[in-house]
Amino acid sequence: MHIPDGFLPLWESALFWIISLIFVAKSIMWAKNNLDEKSVPLFAALAAGIFAIQAMNMPIPWGTSGHMVGSALTAIVFDSPWAGILMLTLVLIVQGVFFADGGILAMGANIFNMGVVGAFVGYYVFKALKKSNVALASFLGGWSATFIAAIICAIELAIGGVFPIDKGLMYMGLYHFFIGIIEGIITAIVVAYLKSAKPELLKSLNTQ
Amino acid sequence: MDNKILVGGLVVAIIIAILAPFLASSNPDGLESTAEKVINEEALHKNLQALGLEEEGTVAPSPMPDYSIEGMGKVGEVIAMIVGTLIMVALAYGVAIVLKKPSSN
């Protein structure tokens, strides 16, 4: 879902950089107030895992592929959407700077879609459902994060004039409906693993 | 500090990094697929011209575009993925150490 440079007009790229930097600044404040020393290795381990699995595109129908995003997972593990935003900002910097995955000018929009939208949607869907079933809540958190981020992405590209709104929404929605299933499954697997192996690190299950 | 989880996570990530070049689907992703079907070429051309780009991509050159190293084939892709994973873990660890809340002792 990485928007390359050239898809968005310059003014829109600049606008989303400004919006995203406000969220990134808030995520830095979150870390300064909430990220404890014990969680640092887990944050780095998650970063490595998300980076590696993001780069491995998995096939979905219609000759299309999809990849992990990981902001919902990070937000669930650290019990805060701000953690997901900080994580995706770092992942997108490495992807954009070293691997030309997503444009540098479009990075603000990519941080907004995959980081901000993904983390908030994923976190609050999980939070709303976790009492009934943690695995299902994790799956739906991951799925909805990807799906809604793709819808927002389609709207941005329509505002920028490169996608028609109706077809853009239809195809982005259709493809990411399926890509979200991959996101949901991986999110549920990692949450289930941490719940059984390292429950003390899974912050969102330790607070009400 | 629980460094076991860091080592464990890194081992899993490196295994994925080694396998990814062989397992990853080469099909376009959801956004690229959509773009192939619906993109307004005129608007794209106008935006590219404004940025001085020939085609969509990035305004700053990257050392390992598309997770590959020129002329090195699959080996280069594996190296790029491992290098990326190490950069990622170092950056995330460094940023988290710098930003973490002050310890309460």
Side-chain angles (χ1 to χ4, degrees), chain A residues 51-106:
Chain A
F51 172 84
I53 206 157
Q54 257 210 27
M56 193 168 84
N57 283 24
M58 284 162 259
I60 64 158
W62 311 289
T64 299
S65 70
H67 60 75
M68 176 86 182
V69 174
S71 50
L73 171 61
T74 310
I76 292 168
V77 170
F78 288 96
D79 195 28
S80 169
W82 302 106
I85 295 169
L86 183 63
M87 175 69 78
L88 259 286
T89 302
L90 298 176
V91 170
L92 286 162
I93 288 171
V94 171
Q95 292 173 332
V97 170
F98 294 96
F99 302 100
D101 195 5
I104 300 284
L105 298 174

Coordinates of all heavy atoms in Angstrom, one line a residue, chain A residues 51-106:
Chain A
F51 N 9.4 -5.7 9.5 CA 10.1 -5.3 8.3 C 10.3 -6.5 7.4 O 10.0 -6.4 6.2 CB 11.5 -4.7 8.7 CG 12.4 -4.5 7.5 CD1 12.3 -3.4 6.7 CD2 13.3 -5.5 7.1 CE1 13.1 -3.2 5.6 CE2 14.1 -5.4 5.9 CZ 14.0 -4.2 5.2
A52 N 10.7 -7.6 8.0 CA 11.0 -8.8 7.1 C 9.7 -9.3 6.5 O 9.7 -9.6 5.3 CB 11.7 -9.9 8.0
I53 N 8.6 -9.4 7.3 CA 7.4 -10.0 6.8 C 6.7 -9.1 5.8 O 6.0 -9.5 4.9 CB 6.5 -10.6 7.9 CG1 5.7 -11.7 7.4 CG2 5.7 -9.5 8.5 CD1 5.2 -12.7 8.4
Q54 N 6.9 -7.8 6.0 CA 6.3 -6.8 5.1 C 6.9 -6.9 3.7 O 6.2 -6.6 2.7 CB 6.6 -5.4 5.6 CG 5.4 -4.7 6.3 CD 5.4 -3.2 6.1 OE1 5.9 -2.7 5.1 NE2 4.7 -2.5 7.0
A55 N 8.2 -7.3 3.7 CA 8.8 -7.3 2.4 C 8.4 -8.6 1.6 O 8.7 -8.7 0.4 CB 10.3 -7.3 2.5
M56 N 7.8 -9.5 2.3 CA 7.4 -10.8 1.6 C 5.9 -10.7 1.2 O 5.0 -11.0 1.9 CB 7.6 -11.9 2.6 CG 7.5 -13.3 1.9 SD 8.1 -14.6 2.9 CE 6.7 -15.0 3.9
N57 N 5.7 -10.3 -0.1 CA 4.4 -10.2 -0.6 C 3.7 -11.6 -0.8 O 4.3 -12.5 -1.3 CB 4.4 -9.5 -1.9 CG 4.5 -8.0 -1.8 OD1 5.1 -7.5 -0.8 ND2 4.1 -7.2 -2.8
M58 N 2.5 -11.7 -0.2 CA 1.8 -13.0 -0.3 C 0.7 -12.9 -1.4 O 0.1 -11.8 -1.5 CB 1.2 -13.3 1.0 CG 2.3 -13.8 2.0 SD 1.9 -13.8 3.7 CE 2.7 -12.3 4.2
P59 N 0.5 -13.9 -2.1 CA -0.5 -13.9 -3.2 C -1.9 -13.8 -2.7 O -2.3 -14.4 -1.7 CB -0.3 -15.2 -4.0 CG 0.4 -16.1 -3.0 CD 1.2 -15.2 -2.1
I60 N -2.7 -13.0 -3.4 CA -4.2 -13.0 -3.2 C -4.8 -13.2 -4.6 O -4.1 -13.3 -5.6 CB -4.7 -11.7 -2.5 CG1 -4.5 -10.5 -3.4 CG2 -4.1 -11.5 -1.2 CD1 -5.4 -9.3 -3.1
P61 N -6.1 -13.4 -4.7 CA -6.7 -13.6 -6.0 C -6.4 -12.5 -7.0 O -6.0 -11.4 -6.7 CB -8.2 -13.7 -5.7 CG -8.3 -14.1 -4.3 CD -7.1 -13.5 -3.6
W62 N -6.7 -12.7 -8.2 CA -6.6 -11.8 -9.4 C -5.2 -11.3 -9.7 O -5.0 -10.1 -10.0 CB -7.5 -10.5 -9.2 CG -8.9 -10.9 -8.8 CD1 -9.9 -11.4 -9.6 CD2 -9.5 -10.7 -7.5 NE1 -11.0 -11.7 -8.8 CE2 -10.8 -11.2 -7.6 CE3 -9.0 -10.2 -6.3 CZ2 -11.7 -11.3 -6.5 CZ3 -9.9 -10.3 -5.2 CH2 -11.2 -10.8 -5.3
G63 N -4.2 -12.2 -9.5 CA -2.9 -11.8 -9.9 C -2.3 -10.6 -9.1 O -1.5 -9.9 -9.5
T64 N -2.8 -10.5 -7.9 CA -2.4 -9.4 -7.0 C -1.7 -10.0 -5.7 O -1.9 -11.2 -5.4 CB -3.6 -8.6 -6.6 OG1 -4.1 -8.0 -7.8 CG2 -3.3 -7.4 -5.7
S65 N -0.9 -9.2 -5.1 CA -0.3 -9.7 -3.8 C -0.5 -8.7 -2.7 O -0.9 -7.5 -3.0 CB 1.2 -9.9 -4.0 OG 1.9 -8.7 -4.2
G66 N -0.2 -9.1 -1.5 CA -0.4 -8.1 -0.4 C 0.6 -8.4 0.7 O 1.2 -9.5 0.7
H67 N 0.9 -7.4 1.5 CA 1.9 -7.6 2.6 C 1.3 -7.1 3.9 O 0.4 -6.3 4.0 CB 3.1 -6.8 2.2 CG 2.9 -5.4 2.0 ND1 2.8 -4.5 3.1 CD2 2.8 -4.6 0.9 CE1 2.6 -3.3 2.6 NE2 2.6 -3.3 1.3
M68 N 2.0 -7.5 4.9 CA 1.7 -7.1 6.3 C 1.9 -5.6 6.5 O 2.7 -5.0 5.8 CB 2.7 -7.9 7.2 CG 2.7 -7.6 8.6 SD 1.5 -8.6 9.4 CE 1.6 -8.0 11.1
V69 N 1.2 -5.0 7.4 CA 1.5 -3.6 7.8 C 2.1 -3.6 9.2 O 3.2 -3.1 9.4 CB 0.2 -2.7 7.6 CG1 0.5 -1.3 8.2 CG2 -0.2 -2.7 6.2
G70 N 1.3 -4.1 10.1 CA 1.9 -4.2 11.5 C 1.6 -3.2 12.5 O 2.0 -3.3 13.7
S71 N 0.9 -2.1 12.1 CA 0.6 -1.0 13.1 C -0.4 -1.5 14.1 O -0.3 -1.2 15.3 CB 0.2 0.3 12.5 OG -0.8 0.0 11.5
A72 N -1.4 -2.3 13.7 CA -2.4 -2.8 14.6 C -1.8 -3.7 15.6 O -2.0 -3.6 16.8 CB -3.5 -3.5 13.8
L73 N -0.9 -4.6 15.1 CA -0.2 -5.6 16.0 C 0.6 -4.8 17.0 O 0.5 -5.1 18.2 CB 0.7 -6.5 15.2 CG 1.6 -7.4 15.9 CD1 0.9 -8.3 16.8 CD2 2.5 -8.1 15.0
T74 N 1.3 -3.8 16.6 CA 2.2 -3.1 17.6 C 1.3 -2.3 18.6 O 1.6 -2.3 19.8 CB 3.0 -2.0 16.8 OG1 3.7 -2.7 15.7 CG2 4.1 -1.4 17.7
A75 N 0.2 -1.7 18.1 CA -0.7 -1.0 19.0 C -1.3 -2.0 20.1 O -1.4 -1.6 21.2 CB -1.8 -0.3 18.2
I76 N -1.6 -3.2 19.6 CA -2.3 -4.1 20.5 C -1.2 -4.6 21.6 O -1.5 -4.6 22.8 CB -2.8 -5.4 19.7 CG1 -4.0 -4.9 18.9 CG2 -3.2 -6.5 20.7 CD1 -4.4 -6.0 17.9
V77 N 0.0 -4.9 21.1 CA 1.0 -5.4 22.0 C 1.4 -4.3 23.1 O 1.5 -4.6 24.2 CB 2.3 -5.8 21.2 CG1 3.5 -6.1 22.2 CG2 2.0 -7.0 20.4
F78 N 1.5 -3.1 22.7 CA 1.9 -2.0 23.6 C 0.7 -1.2 24.2 O 0.9 -0.3 24.9 CB 2.9 -1.1 22.9 CG 4.3 -1.7 22.7 CD1 4.6 -2.3 21.5 CD2 5.2 -1.7 23.7 CE1 5.8 -2.9 21.3 CE2 6.4 -2.3 23.5 CZ 6.7 -2.9 22.3
D79 N -0.5 -1.7 23.9 CA -1.7 -1.1 24.4 C -1.8 0.4 24.1 O -2.2 1.2 25.0 CB -1.7 -1.3 26.0 CG -3.1 -1.0 26.5 OD1 -4.1 -1.2 25.7 OD2 -3.3 -0.6 27.7
S80 N -1.4 0.8 22.9 CA -1.5 2.2 22.6 C -1.4 2.4 21.1 O -0.4 1.9 20.5 CB -0.5 3.1 23.3 OG -0.4 4.4 22.7
P81 N -2.3 3.1 20.4 CA -2.1 3.4 19.0 C -0.8 4.1 18.7 O -0.2 4.0 17.6 CB -3.3 4.2 18.6 CG -4.0 4.6 19.9 CD -3.5 3.7 20.9
W82 N -0.3 4.9 19.7 CA 0.9 5.7 19.4 C 2.1 4.8 19.2 O 3.0 5.2 18.5 CB 1.1 6.7 20.6 CG -0.1 7.6 20.8 CD1 -1.0 7.5 21.8 CD2 -0.5 8.6 19.9 NE1 -2.0 8.5 21.6 CE2 -1.7 9.2 20.4 CE3 0.0 9.2 18.7 CZ2 -2.4 10.2 19.8 CZ3 -0.6 10.2 18.1 CH2 -1.8 10.7 18.7
A83 N 2.1 3.7 19.8 CA 3.2 2.7 19.6 C 3.2 2.3 18.2 O 4.3 2.2 17.5 CB 3.1 1.5 20.6
G84 N 2.0 2.0 17.6 CA 1.9 1.6 16.2 C 2.4 2.7 15.3 O 3.0 2.4 14.2
I85 N 2.1 3.9 15.6 CA 2.5 5.0 14.7 C 4.0 5.2 14.7 O 4.6 5.3 13.7 CB 1.8 6.3 15.2 CG1 0.3 6.2 15.0 CG2 2.4 7.5 14.4 CD1 -0.5 7.3 15.7
L86 N 4.6 5.1 15.9 CA 6.1 5.2 16.0 C 6.7 4.1 15.3 O 7.7 4.3 14.5 CB 6.5 5.1 17.5 CG 7.9 5.3 17.8 CD1 8.5 6.7 17.4 CD2 8.2 5.1 19.3
M87 N 6.2 2.8 15.4 CA 6.8 1.7 14.8 C 6.7 1.8 13.2 O 7.7 1.7 12.5 CB 6.0 0.4 15.2 CG 6.4 -0.9 14.4 SD 8.0 -1.4 14.9 CE 7.7 -2.2 16.5
L88 N 5.5 2.2 12.7 CA 5.4 2.3 11.2 C 6.2 3.4 10.7 O 6.7 3.4 9.6 CB 3.9 2.4 10.8 CG 3.3 1.1 10.3 CD1 3.8 0.8 8.9 CD2 3.6 0.0 11.2
T89 N 6.4 4.5 11.5 CA 7.2 5.6 11.0 C 8.7 5.1 10.8 O 9.3 5.4 9.7 CB 7.2 6.8 12.0 OG1 5.9 7.2 12.2 CG2 8.1 7.9 11.6
L90 N 9.2 4.3 11.7 CA 10.5 3.8 11.6 C 10.6 2.8 10.5 O 11.6 2.9 9.7 CB 11.0 3.2 12.9 CG 11.0 4.1 14.1 CD1 11.4 3.3 15.4 CD2 12.0 5.2 13.9
V91 N 9.7 1.9 10.3 CA 9.7 0.9 9.2 C 9.6 1.6 7.9 O 10.4 1.3 7.0 CB 8.5 -0.1 9.4 CG1 8.4 -0.9 8.2 CG2 8.7 -0.9 10.6
L92 N 8.8 2.6 7.8 CA 8.6 3.3 6.5 C 9.9 4.2 6.1 O 10.2 4.3 5.0 CB 7.4 4.2 6.5 CG 6.0 3.4 6.4 CD1 4.9 4.2 6.8 CD2 5.8 2.9 5.0
I93 N 10.5 4.7 7.2 CA 11.8 5.4 6.9 C 12.8 4.4 6.3 O 13.5 4.7 5.3 CB 12.3 6.0 8.2 CG1 11.5 7.2 8.6 CG2 13.8 6.5 8.0 CD1 11.8 7.8 10.0
V94 N 13.0 3.3 6.9 CA 14.0 2.3 6.4 C 13.6 1.8 5.0 O 14.4 1.8 4.1 CB 14.1 1.1 7.3 CG1 14.9 0.0 6.7 CG2 14.7 1.5 8.7
Q95 N 12.3 1.6 4.8 CA 11.8 1.1 3.4 C 12.0 2.2 2.4 O 12.4 1.9 1.3 CB 10.3 0.7 3.5 CG 10.1 -0.5 4.3 CD 8.6 -0.8 4.5 OE1 7.8 0.2 4.5 NE2 8.2 -2.0 4.7
G96 N 11.7 3.4 2.7 CA 11.7 4.5 1.7 C 13.1 4.9 1.4 O 13.5 5.2 0.3
V97 N 14.0 5.0 2.5 CA 15.3 5.6 2.3 C 16.2 4.5 1.6 O 17.0 4.9 0.7 CB 15.9 6.0 3.6 CG1 17.4 6.4 3.5 CG2 15.1 7.2 4.2
F98 N 16.1 3.3 2.1 CA 17.1 2.3 1.6 C 16.6 1.4 0.4 O 17.4 0.9 -0.3 CB 17.5 1.3 2.8 CG 18.3 2.0 3.8 CD1 17.7 2.5 5.0 CD2 19.7 2.3 3.7 CE1 18.4 3.2 6.0 CE2 20.4 2.9 4.7 CZ 19.7 3.4 5.8
F99 N 15.3 1.3 0.3 CA 14.8 0.3 -0.6 C 13.8 0.8 -1.7 O 13.2 0.1 -2.4 CB 14.1 -0.9 0.1 CG 15.1 -1.5 1.1 CD1 15.1 -1.3 2.4 CD2 16.1 -2.4 0.6 CE1 16.0 -1.8 3.3 CE2 17.0 -3.0 1.5 CZ 16.9 -2.7 2.8
A100 N 13.6 2.2 -1.7 CA 12.7 2.8 -2.7 C 11.3 2.2 -2.6 O 10.6 2.2 -3.6 CB 13.2 2.7 -4.1
D101 N 10.9 1.7 -1.4 CA 9.6 1.2 -1.2 C 8.7 2.3 -0.6 O 8.8 2.6 0.6 CB 9.6 0.0 -0.2 CG 8.4 -0.9 -0.3 OD1 7.5 -0.6 -1.1 OD2 8.3 -1.8 0.5
G102 N 8.0 3.0 -1.5 CA 7.2 4.2 -1.0 C 8.1 5.4 -1.3 O 9.3 5.3 -1.1
G103 N 7.5 6.5 -1.8 CA 8.3 7.7 -2.1 C 8.7 8.4 -0.8 O 8.1 8.2 0.3
I104 N 9.7 9.3 -1.0 CA 10.1 10.1 0.1 C 9.1 11.3 0.4 O 8.8 11.6 1.5 CB 11.5 10.7 -0.1 CG1 12.6 9.6 -0.3 CG2 11.9 11.7 1.0 CD1 13.0 9.0 0.9
L105 N 8.7 11.9 -0.7 CA 7.7 12.9 -0.6 C 6.3 12.3 -0.1 O 5.6 13.0 0.6 CB 7.5 13.6 -1.9 CG 8.7 14.4 -2.5 CD1 8.4 14.9 -3.9 CD2 9.1 15.5 -1.6
A106 N 6.0 11.1 -0.6 CA 4.7 10.5 -0.2 C 4.8 9.8 1.1 O 3.8 9.3 1.6 CB 4.3 9.5 -1.3

